[in-house]
Amino acid sequence: MLTTLNTSYTDTRAADLAWALGREPLPALATLDLELAGAKLQLRLLGASHQVLLEEERGCCSETVACIPGSSTPLPLGVAKRIGDWEYEFAARVEVLSPGSFAGRAQELLALVSDHPNGLAGVFPGSPHAFTALLAQRHEGQVHWRTWHAYPQDGQLVATRTRVGAGVRVQAAQLSPSGV
């Protein structure tokens, strides 16, 4: 799903993005509710980037990547945490692209996400290449999502990947005939 966000472009630099787990739902400009094999997932576009809310029988998880006033947790390159019965993994990278490469990559990502049933993309007013996009899936009992935050004025594209699910060792033990 592709939407134009009715707001000013507030997170105007990749360096302003912060990461947080466990935040309450923030006001959203657009949302997409998904049911992925028993997991309820809500993708949320904020004026200041994204939030993903996951609810499953094992519990709830909230991830926020946004310009958060007063936040002291910058966007990490990687995080691995145990949250109750879940393993949570997050990774982020910043790509710096030339203007021509940036425009092509932006068009490619917007087409991919807007045409996908589990995708949500929002374009900010003022630039067709200023956007935030989210894409989710469930694979082998785990919920995965990817996000992209575009900053065309600096040629920066922030890409994140998240995986939430049972730990790999638990899954391997369940697959072994002896349970070890």
Side-chain angles (χ1 to χ4, degrees), residues 42-85:
Q42 185 177 68
L43 307 179
R44 303 167 58 83
L45 293 175
L46 313 175
S49 276
H50 91 260
Q51 187 173 51
V52 176
L53 307 177
L54 171 63
E55 184 181 328
E56 216 179 23
E57 64 184 33
R58 288 178 254 178
C60 299
C61 177
S62 164
E63 173 190 279
T64 306
V65 173
C67 297
I68 304 169
S71 176
S72 59
T73 308
L75 190 63
L77 294 178
V79 173
K81 285 182 157 266
R82 185 140 184 99
I83 304 171
D85 292 338

